[in-house]
Amino acid sequence: MLSALILIPFVSAAIIGLSPLPAKNSRNFAIIAAVSVLVINILIGFQFNFKLEGLQFAEDIPWIQWLGLNYHIGIDGLSFPLVLLNSLLTVIAMISTSPTIARQKLYYSMILLLSGGAAGAFLAQDLLLFFLFYELEIVPLYFLIAIWGGERRGYAAMKFLLYTAISGILVLASFLGLVWLTGETSFDYQAVRGHTLPLNSQLLLLAPLLIGIFIKIPIFPFHTWLPDAHVQASTPISVLLAGVLLKLGTYALLRFGVGLFLEGWVYLAPWLAILASISALYGASCAIAQKDMKKVVAYSSIAHMAYILLAATATTRLSMVAAVFQMVSHGLISAFLFLLVGMVYKKTGSRDVDYLRGLLNPERGLPVTGGLMILGVMASSGLPGMVGFISEFLVFRGSFPIFPIPTLLCLVGTGLTAVYFLLVVNKVFFGRLTEGLTQLPPVRWKEHAPAFVLLLLIVAFGLRPDWVTHWSEVQAVALLTGS
Amino acid sequence: MVKTAIKRSKSALIDEYITRLEKGDALLQDSPQNLVEVVGILKSYGVVLDAYSINLCYIANTQFLKLFPLFKYFNGEVNPQKIAKFLWHDRINYEYAEYCMKTMFWHGGGGLDAYVDTPEFTNNVNQLIKAHFKYNPLMLTLHAAFKDFLPEQMRQMAYYSALGQFWRVMSDIFINLSDSYDRGQIKSIPDVVQFILNGLVADATRPITYTVKEGNQTYDILPKDANLTFLADTAVPYVEAVFFRGTPFTGTVSYNAQAYEISYDPGMFAYGALYADPLPVGGAGIPPTLLMQDMRHFLPDYLREVYRHQSLRGERDIRIQICQSFQKSMFCVTTAAIKGLAPHPFDTVDPQQQAANRKYLTGWLNRILESQITKINTN
């Protein structure tokens, strides 16, 4: 059943790309494939036992055994929410794509490849298999930015490619070293995890792994590819990039950083917590200075992703749950914000904070988009009643007893979130409508439908956080106990 | 240097508009689109003004000296069905009419403003108050203690009545204009201006009076011998107050008087209909929205068709489109008022008369050029 989550996107991508299917039908076919994956995910959710530790629905098929590579996949409380998030955002990204986009067959093939690759990475229980999926998603994303991106798409795509390729190399180097030092003959996660390396060896392997992962998350100072990629990417791709692909980094942080090198992780944790607080403050400060709405959201992502690092470094029961919750929360909120920024750009042709004004005008502006944006800002700023409040509360509550000062610094970052988003909302949506924007095309309800779905989840999980915490609680804590 | 450049530019604009008016044109550019919009909107405005006028006169004639006139918008017909429709807001927004009345009352100007402060007016009102409250010692005591309170209510009533009478005339002019357009007799914006001017001139000396009945006795609050006339004592103060000054409704922002966002001198106000930004129509608390709401029910089909196609949003932003057309039409009414009040005909060949006209027009245009006129004419 799990393989379907990977195979359906891959096979569908191949059918769309290689078959004589008319381009205009490729959108419907891709959406049907993506919805099928989402439905399977939901069915898995119904059958998934959240009280159990360890893998469920596991599939272990020998593949290239002389290389130590097996097709070993499984799902647990750590990967389930992310796989579900991935399938949901894939559907949303496809629906929010313009039906008239150029080169549809290639576009939808790439999105399906991206989605399948991400699902594979979240499900992989073999280090080498994880690496393959981790690297695989670089290719479609490179094309998605390079072909359908903005004016400087070539530069942004190449920068993304170089950074993430280096990230992959560092992750692979760590995995190879781990297998070599443990004396294992396979890359099986559980097998490798059964060995305990000396602290020095752990630190030696953890260092490249962390740098690789920090690039992916991204954490300051390895973040510079992200704003460029977001600004140049189209709206649906930004949704996937922020909502899913960054989570590959934080997922790897928990699964491999904490799961495989717990002793080394705890040793480095104080420094990592400081780095998290620097990254949070840096991201928030940069967001304040931006004039491009999309860059504001991109830098806010850097700040909010740093909270996951902070939570992971605290390694308390609560903070581990918080880390997973923050991944889900950020995935939903950032996707929501990118959709809305995309809508503003689509209708006005600009994301310039200094140019846009008065978009809340009830008759000639984008009042619904503005209203949703205000709700998104509230969610991102951590206002109660929404998912952002719960995730940040859990992060800070879980981290404070261990790292009080970095936690307080991150709290300042949360305060800054309200500052930069209010600056944007105040400038863009309030006041008098910009002179040249008095004949904006209307936004139809179906154009907002994806955003409404995300808003529903943002509020629902804000009011009932246990619906998310019970997915991951057992498994997140299990990472700390080594079971 | 910069200042000089701006000044020159403004004076060039003034020259341009003076030349335009002297040639018989209007402040608003003549175009088929403008003609359709102006005539169409004045048709619906005429229908709405008719309702406003009836209600204003009803309030003035029957609701005077009532401290809580709960059913003042019902024109004497109070029944559950009408109350339900009122609460459901299926009605004309008479509040807008009162808003204009209060704007006139506050800004003053003209003979009416002067007359309501005369001893004659106070004497007339006092007689009415004594008769009205002859069996109400509480109110008589109140009147004795606060001598200005009830007369002030009657001053407002005088304005209710005067504005009602003014709008009665304007409503007929606008409906007749529309009928003439339908018959093919109005073909350009200058034709519109001339039609309105003819209407204003025809009623220029029409007396403005206000008489109320108390028991079997009638009381002249604005008697005929006060010599208040339509053009000088209601039309001109109305144009000044509502078109040029108004109250701040140019945007959705809250004005801060302490920060001088509102002119401290009422004479420096520039918030009237000619200055209003149509875009914020629909924002909370912006009075013209009520007028736009009312007019949308009475738009002629041809104008609705224009609105359906000229905006990307079809009829969904119809109030903004109505407001834009309304503003255009008010520039036509203003042109008619300027022409009507000019010291000499604009086609005079006498250099002295021409000079006097130019001086007169320069005064008007100095104010009008600060309005939305240049924007409307460049769109």
Side-chain angles (χ1 to χ4, degrees), chain A residues 172-196:
Chain A
L172 179 63
S174 176
F175 288 168
L176 287 171
L178 181 64
V179 171
W180 181 56
L181 287 177
T182 54
E184 271 294 329
T185 53
S186 83
F187 285 88
D188 188 79
Y189 178 77
Q190 291 301 337
V192 175
R193 203 175 178 219
H195 298 273
T196 306

Side-chain angles (χ1 to χ4, degrees), chain A residues 361 363-365 432 438-439, chain B residues 277 279 312-313 317 319:
Chain A
N361 184 292
E363 312 229 0
R364 284 272 172 98
R432 192 185 174 286
T438 54
Q439 281 282 14
Chain B
D277 177 3
L279 280 174
L312 282 174
R313 303 198 172 198
D317 59 353
R319 290 184 302 180

